[in-house]
Amino acid sequence: MRTRLILCLILLLIVLTGCARSPSPLPTEVATDATAAATSSPLPEEEDTVPTRSYAGKIPAPEFPPNLDWLNTGRPLTLAQLKGKVVLLDFWTYGCVNCMHIIPDLKKLEAKYANELVVIGVHSAKFSNEAETDNIRRVILRYELAHPVVNDDEFAVWQLYGATAWPTLVLIDPEGKVIGSHAGEGVFDLFDEVIGSVVAAFDARGLLDRTPLPLILERENQADSPLRFPGKVLADAAGNRLFIADSNHNRIVVTDLTGTVLAVIGGGVAGLRDGDYRTARFFRPQGLALADENTLYVADTENHAIRRVDLGTGLVRTVAGTGEQTYMTMERGPALGTALNSPWDVLYARDRLYIAMAGQHQVWVYDPGAEEVFRYAGTGREELKDGPRLTGGLNQPSGLASDGLNLYIADSEASAIRTAGLTADGRLGTVVGVGLFDFGDVDGVGDKVRLQHPLGVAFQDDRLYVADTYNSKIKVINPKKRESLTLFGGEGGGWRDGAQPLFDEPGGISVAGNLLYIADTNNHVIRVANLKEKTVSTLVLVDNDGLLTRAATTDAPTGKIVALDEQTVAPGAGVVQLDVTLPAGYKLNDLAPFSMSWRSADAAVTFAAAASDQRIVHPDFPLSLPATFQPGETTLTADIVVYYCTAATEQLCLIEQVRLLLPVTVRADAPAAPLTVAYTVPHPAPGP
């Protein structure tokens, strides 16, 4: 009888040592499963037909401490409440790219074991900014997490379970006992096999609870906005263009430098597809670089690919990456045959595209002529180590700039700004920053300077402008003197224009003359800093052609669906009347049109073509649409898009996209009155 070894890192019974609450060593980030140190042991060989394990734990899982902030639930959870469920704890911190890498695996597990598995994110923050509950809420929205998350800001749960690295996963059986733990990436196959076996074993004993866990997700009642978590921005002064990585809308928005929308690249639906602007697909794109006036490169981060946009023909093509994320072990390879690892920024210089490969802790190069990629700097080991660029160490590089002789690198996890020479014998150096766990908000010179997880850099006139992301500030650095000063931003962050501006985790920055364009990521806007006047304003997008809402090429609605109560109407010529009410303190955006599209399931209601599909600037509600009614029953579908802004300043602009479904009966005894459709836009949830 054939025997087999089930996955050398499968979760075996372990004894956790964290319950003593003794001080833990500094946690680390596990870069890949190639370097992961699992706390589990291999299983012995077992027969194919006769299982020899029960897949049950032995050690009672420690209960969650009280008084922690919970998200995506509406209430605190306890393990006692989760009896009958398989529970998977995910210890993570949101600045860790390796933690982001396992999110797709967790979502696949949640989909496969929807009624048996509960994933709980235990957010144990590395950076002080990450410990704020509101910031964790924004990351939940950004990465579209649909499972409970607890803010373990004082590492209480971390110590109870003896975690030592991000990410770490702990599996708990339906009786509340620990099966085992694993640190590192590449977790789907491992946990799929174990969870499947646990489900089978406990199902046979009648101990599974398949009742859905009621959740209140943070994304409920969240208003959309023209941009959603924009990650990077690129100003093209010569071409009077601004390219915006509209990351969570999975597209690139092109405007002029004053904010008028010129084009939208990408259909707005996550995916990896080449084609024209409307059919192409991206997945949370970040970095942008122009090679010439018609060639735009895009770091398509969560597709783990490099895309090239021909701005002349309007076509998008993948030039590097396979669409799969992997730890890259080779030094050089064919561009389209080499899997990449979370490319976060790109920079074109000397006929090559430099790639900040955040997930690899390296800088790579794409050579368009040779159509190949190769390693340029960093060993892949996460460390702040200067020296020859191929033997030095980087730490989740996420931003690139150049003075023509050197690369400047936002080395985010080390809260550092690094350099890499562009010559064959170039070396890795450090401008500011001293180590992985040395961060803060300190201006000064040399090793006294402290940043906190910077993501963006831009160079002009011997100055380096830095998006000091987790400090929510813009810094200016003299790289020769190693001097760093706060240019814009205040303590705690927020949103305020003027001479004392506030930002919220800005991720990208680009300079054009006297103007600094800033992707103010958590505020969902682009800010413009005037370097002469030392003031900041918010760029208001002028969408005259409705491109921001017409880009999607799917028939599925992109907003919410609202079912209205049935109405009756008399046959003959009549009117459908639409009334839209905005929440208090908001008004229609004068710079973008209201749009509506109507259709009927059958001929009981018909509209004139000109009436059924309209885009209206300054609509005066209620709107009347001539219609013809015939005896019968139908369902009217109205897709409406409302641009609206705060009434006081028009800085915060939002989009309400909704599909209204109205059952209609046309009969002779119905009143001869207009068919009235009313919709009230809900008040946006607190925060941007």
Side-chain angles (χ1 to χ4, degrees):
M1 185 178 295
R2 183 172 60 87
T3 61
R4 63 189 174 94
L5 182 67
I6 302 179
L7 298 172
C8 67
L9 292 178
I10 204 163
L11 303 177
L12 188 60
L13 302 176
I14 61 170
V15 177
L16 296 175
T17 60
C19 297
R21 289 183 164 232
S22 58
S24 299
L26 283 177
T28 59
E29 292 173 52
V30 178
T32 68
D33 50 6
T35 60
T39 57
S40 52
S41 304
L43 278 178
E45 291 186 343
E46 62 181 35
E47 300 294 338
D48 280 340
T49 56
V50 182
T52 60
R53 289 184 48 80
S54 67
Y55 289 94
K58 298 294 186 183
I59 310 300
E63 187 57 87
F64 296 111
N67 303 319
L68 298 180
D69 288 344
W70 285 80
L71 300 162
N72 266 355
T73 64
R75 70 199 187 287
L77 296 178
T78 66
L79 290 176
Q81 295 169 339
L82 299 175
K83 287 291 182 66
K85 299 287 189 185
V86 182
V87 178
L88 183 60
L89 304 183
D90 170 29
F91 288 88
W92 65 299
T93 184
Y94 72 72
C96 162
V97 70
N98 311 112
C99 300
M100 301 302 104
H101 286 165
I102 71 169
I103 289 175
D105 285 350
L106 295 177
K107 290 184 178 182
K108 287 168 62 178
L109 291 170
E110 289 175 291
K112 184 170 183 178
Y113 301 102
N115 297 321
E116 300 87 8
L117 175 67
V118 174
V119 174
I120 296 178
V122 182
H123 190 275
S124 307
K126 170 183 174 178
F127 293 99
S128 56
N129 191 66
E130 294 173 334
E132 299 295 329
T133 298
D134 283 345
N135 291 337
I136 300 170
R137 178 179 290 108
R138 292 181 180 95
V139 169
I140 287 172
L141 295 170
R142 185 171 183 174
Y143 288 97
E144 299 170 329
L145 303 184
H147 56 249
V149 174
V150 59
N151 183 2
D152 184 32
D153 57 340
E154 295 185 358
F155 282 71
V157 185
W158 175 283
Q159 293 191 35
L160 284 172
Y161 283 87
T164 59
W166 296 290
T168 291
L169 299 177
V170 176
L171 193 65
I172 300 170
D173 73 21
E175 291 185 308
K177 296 178 180 178
V178 174
I179 296 175
S181 70
H182 171 82
E185 300 180 23
V187 300
F188 177 78
D189 290 338
L190 173 65
F191 280 89
D192 181 30
E193 176 126 1
V194 178
I195 292 171
S197 298
V198 172
V199 168
F202 280 83
D203 201 19
R205 297 167 57 192
L207 296 177
L208 275 184
D209 178 4
R210 288 189 167 89
T211 305
L213 181 68
L215 299 175
I216 300 177
L217 301 182
E218 301 299 323
R219 67 188 180 211
E220 295 178 13
N221 298 319
Q222 281 288 324
D224 200 1
S225 52
L227 303 176
R228 195 69 177 159
F229 294 106
K232 299 289 187 182
V233 63
L234 174 65
D236 171 27
N240 187 30
R241 296 176 297 184
L242 189 70
F243 299 92
I244 304 166
D246 190 8
S247 302
N248 269 50
H249 284 145
N250 304 299
R251 63 191 183 182
I252 310 302
V253 175
V254 187
T255 75
D256 65 16
L257 293 178
T258 65
T260 298
V261 178
L262 305 175
V264 173
I265 306 170
V269 179
L272 178 58
R273 181 193 299 171
D274 292 344
D276 60 28
Y277 283 3
R278 297 198 69 189
T279 60
R281 295 284 187 270
F282 299 88
F283 190 11
R284 295 200 186 102
Q286 290 284 338
L288 306 164
L290 279 171
D292 55 52
E293 64 178 354
N294 285 321
T295 305
L296 177 73
Y297 286 101
V298 180
D300 196 0
T301 303
E302 294 207 31
N303 275 326
H304 310 284
I306 303 299
R307 318 292 293 280
R308 183 167 64 202
V309 182
D310 188 321
L311 300 168
T313 63
L315 295 176
V316 178
R317 186 165 73 89
T318 303
V319 295
T322 64
E324 299 294 326
Q325 180 262 331
T326 190
Y327 186 77
M328 306 161 69
T329 57
M330 78 291 289
E331 294 291 302
R332 181 183 297 264
L336 288 173
T338 302
L340 306 184
N341 198 347
S342 293
W344 208 276
D345 201 9
V346 285
L347 175 78
Y348 195 83
R350 302 189 178 192
D351 299 323
R352 292 174 169 178
L353 187 74
Y354 292 84
I355 306 167
M357 203 75 73
Q360 191 79 9
H361 309 298
Q362 293 173 335
V363 173
W364 279 63
V365 168
Y366 164 64
D367 185 337
E371 295 186 345
E372 65 178 8
V373 292
F374 58 89
R375 180 169 68 98
Y376 188 77
T379 61
R381 180 179 176 83
E382 193 172 11
E383 59 181 346
L384 200 159
K385 179 183 177 182
D386 293 342
R389 53 181 170 78
L390 291 175
T391 60
L394 292 165
N395 309 268
Q396 201 173 309
S398 302
L400 296 174
S402 177
D403 61 4
L405 298 176
N406 298 283
L407 290 179
Y408 291 100
I409 305 165
D411 205 18
S412 61
E413 277 299 284
S415 298
I417 303 300
R418 312 290 298 284
T419 62
L422 290 174
T423 58
D425 59 349
R427 298 173 63 85
L428 269 178
T430 300
V431 179
V432 296
V434 294
L436 267 168
F437 290 89
D438 297 284
F439 55 85
D441 185 6
V442 180
D443 290 346
V445 178
D447 290 348
K448 294 181 180 179
V449 172
R450 293 291 183 272
L451 307 175
Q452 190 178 183
H453 201 85
L455 290 178
V457 285
F459 185 88
Q460 180 175 269
D461 297 334
D462 297 325
R463 292 185 175 187
L464 194 64
Y465 298 96
V466 177
D468 192 5
T469 305
Y470 284 1
N471 283 324
S472 292
K473 291 183 176 181
I474 304 302
K475 304 288 181 69
V476 59
I477 294 177
N478 183 321
K480 294 180 179 179
K481 295 181 178 179
R482 301 181 64 208
E483 181 181 34
S484 175
L485 298 173
T486 297
L487 185 61
F488 298 109
E491 197 70 29
W495 185 352
R496 184 171 64 211
D497 282 345
Q500 295 180 314
L502 297 176
F503 306 88
D504 194 341
E505 291 195 11
I509 192 167
S510 184
V511 61
N514 292 318
L515 298 179
L516 200 61
Y517 290 86
I518 301 157
D520 195 1
T521 304
N522 280 354
N523 281 326
H524 312 295
V525 293
I526 303 302
R527 313 289 292 282
V528 185
N530 189 308
L531 297 175
K532 275 191 174 181
E533 298 177 1
K534 299 294 191 295
T535 60
V536 171
S537 60
T538 298
L539 186 73
V540 177
L541 300 186
V542 181
D543 188 22
N544 292 320
D545 297 322
L547 296 174
L548 296 177
T549 56
R550 292 194 303 173
T553 56
T554 176
D555 289 332
T558 57
K560 66 185 73 171
I561 300 175
V562 175
L564 303 175
D565 292 338
E566 182 182 7
Q567 295 191 40
T568 59
V569 65
V575 169
V576 174
Q577 199 169 71
L578 173 66
D579 196 10
V580 175
T581 303
L582 297 179
Y586 289 83
K587 67 176 185 178
L588 290 172
N589 184 348
D590 295 335
L591 300 176
F594 165 83
S595 67
M596 61 180 180
S597 178
W598 293 80
R599 62 181 182 274
S600 176
D602 57 42
V605 180
T606 56
F607 298 96
S612 63
D613 193 354
Q614 298 186 54
R615 295 174 60 253
I616 307 170
V617 179
H618 307 301
D620 185 15
F621 293 109
L623 301 175
S624 295
L625 291 79
T628 301
F629 301 98
Q630 301 289 341
E633 296 181 351
T634 190
T635 297
L636 292 184
T637 299
D639 289 316
I640 66 173
V641 180
V642 184
Y643 285 83
Y644 63 110
C645 304
T646 49
T649 63
E650 289 194 352
Q651 291 177 351
L652 174 59
C653 294
L654 304 169
I655 299 176
E656 178 77 355
Q657 293 181 265
V658 61
R659 173 169 289 183
L660 304 177
L661 302 177
L662 174 65
V664 176
T665 298
V666 183
R667 63 173 189 253
D669 62 344
L675 195 66
T676 301
V677 180
Y679 179 69
T680 299
V681 177
H683 199 285

